[in-house]
Amino acid sequence: MTSKTRATRRVLVAKPRGYCAGVDRAVQAVERALEQYGAPIYVRKQIVHNTHVVKTLEARGAVFVEETEEVPEGAIVVFSAHGVSPAVHREAAQRRLKTIDATCPLVTKVHNEAKRFASQDYDILLIGHEGHEEVEGTAGEAPEHIQLVDGLDSVGSVRVKDPDRLVWLSQTTLSVDETTETVARLKERFPNLIDPPSDDICYATQNRQVAVKEIAAEAELVIVVGSENSSNSKRLVEVALDHGADASYLVDNASFIRDEWLQGVTTVGVTSGASVPEELVAEVLARLAAHGFEDVEEVESVEESVRFALPHELRKDLRAEV
C-alpha cells in the first residue's frame, strides 16, 4: 500500500471482519431452534449485539426479553453469546424452561477459569466494562471472589485480601492494547499478580484489531460497521484513531454515513465488528462507490478458520430426529 496522499479515491477493506465463530454459532442456534420447534423462540438479551441481526430474527419469530422471568413457564429460551450467571440457569430451571445455551465457547472458558481460581481462594480482578452482559455472567460465577476493574482509572481503587493469591481475567471483547496497559498498571501495584493460563481476549477481537491497525495507517477515514452496544465494534473505532486514521465512525448501516465525512478524503478504510453480517458491509461499499470510491482493495492481515459446533442441546435433538 502507498501513502495517504494518493489522489485516486479508494477503499481499503479489512480482512478478517464481521462474524466470528461464536456469533455465527449463536445466530445459527436461534435459526435452528425456530426451524425445529417453531415460533416463538425466546432469547434472553440480544443474541448478539447487532440491531440488524436482532430485527431479522424477530421477523422470523424470535422474542427477545431482558430477563428469564419474562419467558412463559415451560417455553424454550436461548441464552445469548455473552453468557449468563449460574443464577440465571437456576431461574430457568425453576420455571421449567427448555434452555439452549449459545454462550460463546471462549466466554465459557473464562467462566471456567473464574470457577477454578475461586475454588483455590484467589482474588480475581476481572478487567471489563461495568454493565456489560458478559461481565455480569462471569462475575456471577464467583461474586465473592471477583472484583471488576473497568479501565485504568479504577486500578487505584482495587483492594485485595492477599496480594500473593491474585489473578486477572478479562472480558473477551476488549482492546488488546488497553488491556495490556491496565495489566501493567495492576502489576505495578501487585507484582505477584498471576496471568490467566491462556489469553482471554478472543482470537476474533484480536484479529479484527490487527486488521484495522493496518488499514488505519493508510486511511484518512475508517468506517466501522457495528451497533452502538457492541463492545468489540467500539474498540475498533478507538484502535483506528490510535493507529493513524484522522477520523473514525461507528455506523449501524450505510444510511448512517454522512457526506461531509468524505469531503477531501482519498482513502477510506472499512471494517466491521464481530457481530455484523457481511451484507451490511456490502451496502457501505455501495454507498461509497456512489461517491466515487470505486477502487476497492481487501487487505488481509491474518487468516481465520475457527468454527464452533452448535450448542449441544440442538445437536442432541438433531440426533434424536435421525
Side-chain angles (χ1 to χ4, degrees):
M1 291 185 295
T2 57
S3 69
K4 292 183 181 179
T5 57
R6 176 171 166 152
T8 304
R9 289 188 166 190
R10 61 174 182 158
V11 182
L12 302 177
V13 186
K15 183 179 181 180
R17 61 183 178 275
Y19 270 16
C20 64
V23 164
D24 193 34
R25 174 181 184 267
V27 173
Q28 283 192 48
V30 179
E31 292 172 340
R32 188 65 60 88
L34 286 165
E35 291 170 6
Q36 287 182 219
Y37 308 115
I41 294 294
Y42 292 87
V43 184
R44 185 184 182 275
K45 307 290 187 181
Q46 292 188 358
I47 186 67
V48 296
H49 285 160
N50 184 265
T51 305
H52 175 83
V53 171
V54 169
K55 288 181 178 178
T56 300
L57 292 173
E58 281 179 331
R60 295 185 58 179
V63 178
F64 292 88
V65 299
E66 284 300 304
E67 299 298 341
T68 313
E69 63 187 21
E70 301 172 53
V71 181
E73 287 199 18
I76 298 171
V77 62
V78 181
F79 293 143
S80 80
H82 308 104
V84 298
S85 68
V88 173
H89 283 286
R90 289 194 295 270
E91 291 166 8
Q94 290 167 1
R95 296 182 63 78
R96 296 181 296 105
L97 303 179
K98 178 180 176 62
T99 61
I100 298 171
D101 191 352
T103 302
C104 174
L106 300 179
V107 174
T108 300
K109 177 182 77 72
V110 180
H111 281 223
N112 290 337
E113 290 171 349
K115 288 187 285 188
R116 180 162 66 86
F117 282 110
S119 71
Q120 298 170 12
D121 202 30
Y122 276 81
D123 275 350
I124 301 167
L125 304 182
L126 177 60
I127 302 172
H129 298 302
E130 186 173 3
H132 192 280
E133 289 142 46
E134 183 187 330
V135 166
E136 292 176 348
T138 303
E141 293 288 359
E144 68 282 5
H145 287 271
I146 292 177
Q147 182 175 171
L148 180 64
V149 180
D150 191 350
L152 288 169
D153 292 342
S154 62
V155 170
S157 61
V158 171
R159 299 291 180 269
V160 300
K161 296 195 301 285
D162 184 352
D164 292 325
R165 295 190 68 78
L166 186 63
V167 63
W168 70 271
L169 304 176
S170 82
Q171 183 180 328
T172 63
T173 56
L174 300 181
S175 160
V176 175
D177 295 338
E178 185 179 341
T179 302
T180 300
E181 192 176 352
T182 300
V183 171
R185 188 78 61 85
L186 285 168
K187 286 187 173 181
E188 289 175 4
R189 288 198 61 200
F190 308 106
N192 293 331
L193 177 67
I194 296 174
D195 296 329
S198 60
D199 203 338
D200 285 347
I201 298 179
C202 88
Y203 79 94
T205 297
Q206 296 190 49
N207 289 348
R208 279 147 191 73
Q209 290 177 18
V210 169
V212 83
K213 287 177 184 180
E214 191 165 344
I215 63 170
E218 298 292 329
E220 297 104 315
L221 167 68
V222 172
I223 294 173
V224 178
V225 187
S227 294
E228 185 62 35
N229 64 339
S230 168
S231 174
N232 77 87
S233 298
K234 291 171 78 172
R235 301 294 81 74
L236 290 175
V237 172
E238 296 169 358
V239 171
L241 291 171
D242 287 343
H243 288 82
D246 298 328
S248 183
Y249 300 101
L250 183 67
V251 301
D252 234 322
N253 55 59
S255 69
F256 283 69
I257 297 173
R258 298 180 183 176
D259 292 348
E260 56 264 32
W261 295 351
L262 306 176
Q263 292 176 4
V265 172
T266 58
T267 302
V268 177
V270 173
T271 189
S272 56
S275 52
V276 177
E278 185 62 17
E279 64 192 270
L280 297 184
V281 176
E283 292 171 4
V284 166
L285 295 179
R287 175 75 180 269
L288 291 173
H291 284 78
F293 292 86
E294 297 178 341
D295 180 4
V296 178
E297 177 186 349
E298 190 170 62
V299 181
E300 184 171 11
S301 59
V302 61
E303 187 176 344
E304 284 187 353
S305 57
V306 179
R307 297 289 182 272
F308 293 139
L310 285 170
H312 71 87
E313 299 93 344
L314 289 169
R315 285 182 278 135
K316 177 180 63 179
D317 286 354
L318 283 171
R319 287 194 296 269
E321 292 174 4
V322 176

